[in-house]
Amino acid sequence: MDKRIINHLIDLYGKEAGTAAAKKIESILEPLKKKNAKQTKTFLTESSAWLITYGDMVTGEGYTKLQALYEFLRDKLPGIVDSVHILPFYPYSSDDGFSVIDYKEVDPKLGTWDGIRRFADHFNLTADAVFNHISSQSEWFQECLKGNPEYRDFFIRVPKDADTSSVTRPRSLPLLTAYSSPDGGEDDYYWTTFSDDQIDLNFACPDLLVRLIEILFFYVEEGITTIRLDAVAFFWKELGTSCMHLRQTHKIVKICRLLLDEYARHVLLLTETNVPHAENISYFGKGNEANMVYQFPLPPLTAHAVMAECSIWLNQWAESLEDPEGSNTYFNFLASHDGIGLRPAMDILPDQELNYMLQTACNNGGLISYRDMPDGSQSPYELNISYFNLFWDGTEETYTTALRKFILAHSILMCMPGVPAVYFHSMFGSVNYTEGVEKTGRNRTINREKLNLKQLQSEVRDRNSRRYIIYAAMAQMLRIRATEPAFHPKSGFEILNLSPDVFIIKRNTGKGETPLTAIHNLSSGPQALELEGDFVDIITGTNYYDEVELPPHEFLWLKG
């Protein structure tokens, strides 16, 4: 075992406990070393692209949910997307999968491990390691409540009157939840960051970390090629601190990265941290933590730029981006199963601009979720809306413009340094699922509709439908993107800040390849730009000489 792993474990748990943990981990993983020895290191390229989906996003008579999803994606994704992220597919008790009852089982409502492996045979497959917390209904927590000493230290008990005022809260819910004591005495209070059903795990317990690492490599054995560490910022708790991004948390990420590099070098590590940019990119470490981090400022800043028809703040942020060390890169997205996180934009967008975006989205049927602040106030945490409805108020008069704006926003996504990830409902043109919110009472349901396989197939084939128009545009961009070296994740980039009406990014491999300049007209009017030389738009094949005029809300990918 790499000595750095042992040293990190000793730093976390002391010499005796850290060394013991290292021996346990080595005994679990050593058999994998020979098995994975022929696996080559995964390197991302311009053809790397993700689709993000729930396992039950598509349902069809005669199919398990995983089978229905597979049948649809097998038909629609080849040559377009090479990687699929199936959101938590384990048995769960709440939070649409993120309150896991058993990490090693597939939810029988979805299918079996055979269904997961079928995806792994045809796509690079991403799975979630939901390790910050576990369901209150899990065997681990139930055994803890029974007083089983094996599980007692897997969870964090805190005195009822403990001062938790400095702890950062991602939700407007109590931090501590009471559960009955096994000896019949006073209730124990357990740390519950996200809900009373999601009991935080205690990473200060070395036996817990050993158990979680064993589970992580179980996923690798089932064909998973990217591990997503969910809510990683909260892993380590220490009263008197914010309990976010603590030194010990970064140690755990480093351990995971080193273990994957040694025992499963083909597997990538992705961290999910919905926080301001500087905090988010800290999970690259010095090239020794995550292979990829979610680019959380991109969704709200792109939304604002297209909605407000102004590139000032998107430019300001994009100009500050730096190329991560080594082969590490950004995981770019606009929409996901969650809402559009607002925290990453709050230190960039002025209050007036943020409020404009929120008000416009609410006018289009969106909702706002809040979090508790240390002073007792509440702050907007995320915007819950389909990404298409950011630009569409539901009327016929604005429909065509909304289509152009939506596709324009995704061109920005495709052109940013890193790899693109498209959410299922964005790829296939879904709108607000407001009746779902009414059924569940949860804001996030607005972008989590489950679709009928036959109806979806019919709509995506109908050339006049919204689903077809959006899917066709996405597919065209992704196919072209996959052929262009300028879109390699490590290709250089430059933001050309010429006008607030446009967003222009230039990509260049620096290897003698012709640079590519992507020009996005954010405004409602035509934009004329002078060029030096001859160019061709690789989307349409149109040639341009010395100048170009873009119609409203259109874009060009120019080479020349």
Side-chain angles (χ1 to χ4, degrees), residues 37-279:
K38 294 182 180 179
Q39 297 279 13
T40 57
K41 185 65 179 173
T42 298
F43 288 104
L44 301 169
T45 71
E46 57 271 21
S47 64
S48 302
W50 266 256
L51 181 90
I52 303 168
T53 181
Y54 276 106
D56 62 350
M57 206 70 93
V58 181
T59 60
E61 188 175 349
Y63 295 100
T64 68
K65 291 181 172 64
L66 284 173
Q67 286 172 342
L69 179 68
Y70 173 78
E71 289 299 319
F72 181 69
L73 297 185
R74 185 185 64 173
D75 180 45
K76 297 301 178 185
L77 294 190
I80 299 169
V81 165
D82 66 346
S83 302
V84 173
H85 174 195
I86 303 180
L87 291 156
F89 46 76
Y90 323 110
Y92 68 95
S93 54
S94 63
D95 200 17
D96 284 352
F98 284 87
S99 185
V100 179
I101 294 175
D102 189 332
Y103 289 123
K104 285 190 169 184
E105 294 295 330
V106 173
D107 185 349
K109 298 185 185 70
L110 299 180
T112 65
W113 277 110
D114 284 341
I116 295 296
R117 285 189 288 266
R118 179 179 293 179
F119 277 91
D121 288 340
H122 291 85
F123 301 100
N124 298 316
L125 190 58
T126 300
D128 289 272
V130 190
F131 288 169
N132 179 72
H133 46 264
I134 196 169
S135 169
S136 65
Q137 297 180 27
S138 65
E139 180 186 12
W140 292 8
F141 189 60
Q142 290 301 312
E143 287 299 309
C144 170
L145 292 180
K146 292 175 185 177
N148 185 334
E150 182 180 353
Y151 297 94
R152 186 71 170 156
D153 290 337
F154 278 23
F155 304 94
I156 306 165
R157 292 176 302 283
V158 181
K160 179 181 179 181
D161 58 355
D163 181 5
T164 60
S165 59
S166 63
V167 177
T168 297
R169 302 295 296 117
R171 300 282 187 275
S172 295
L173 296 166
L175 177 66
L176 306 179
T177 300
Y179 282 89
S180 299
S181 170
D183 59 11
E186 291 186 5
D187 289 347
D188 286 329
Y189 284 81
Y190 290 87
W191 201 292
T192 53
T193 295
F194 291 96
S195 78
D196 58 4
D197 182 49
Q198 293 164 289
I199 318 299
D200 283 50
L201 292 170
N202 180 21
F203 279 86
C205 171
D207 285 341
L208 171 77
L209 182 63
V210 172
R211 186 75 69 92
L212 293 179
I213 287 170
E214 187 270 328
I215 291 166
L216 188 150
F217 278 86
F218 169 80
Y219 297 157
V220 172
E221 290 299 285
E222 295 298 331
I224 305 304
T225 52
T226 299
I227 300 289
R228 176 187 185 263
L229 292 180
D230 178 65
V232 67
F234 301 92
F235 275 10
W236 197 279
K237 280 76 174 178
E238 197 169 289
L239 287 173
T241 73
S242 68
C243 297
M244 289 190 71
H245 318 306
L246 298 188
R247 179 185 66 85
Q248 296 93 331
T249 293
H250 285 281
K251 285 277 184 184
I252 292 164
V253 178
K254 289 173 184 175
I255 289 169
C256 291
R257 172 70 180 271
L258 284 167
L259 287 169
L260 289 173
D261 283 352
E262 183 169 357
Y263 295 100
R265 60 198 311 264
H266 62 293
V267 177
L268 298 174
L269 191 64
L270 168 65
T271 55
E272 186 268 341
T273 47
N274 190 354
V275 293
H277 183 68
E279 299 171 39

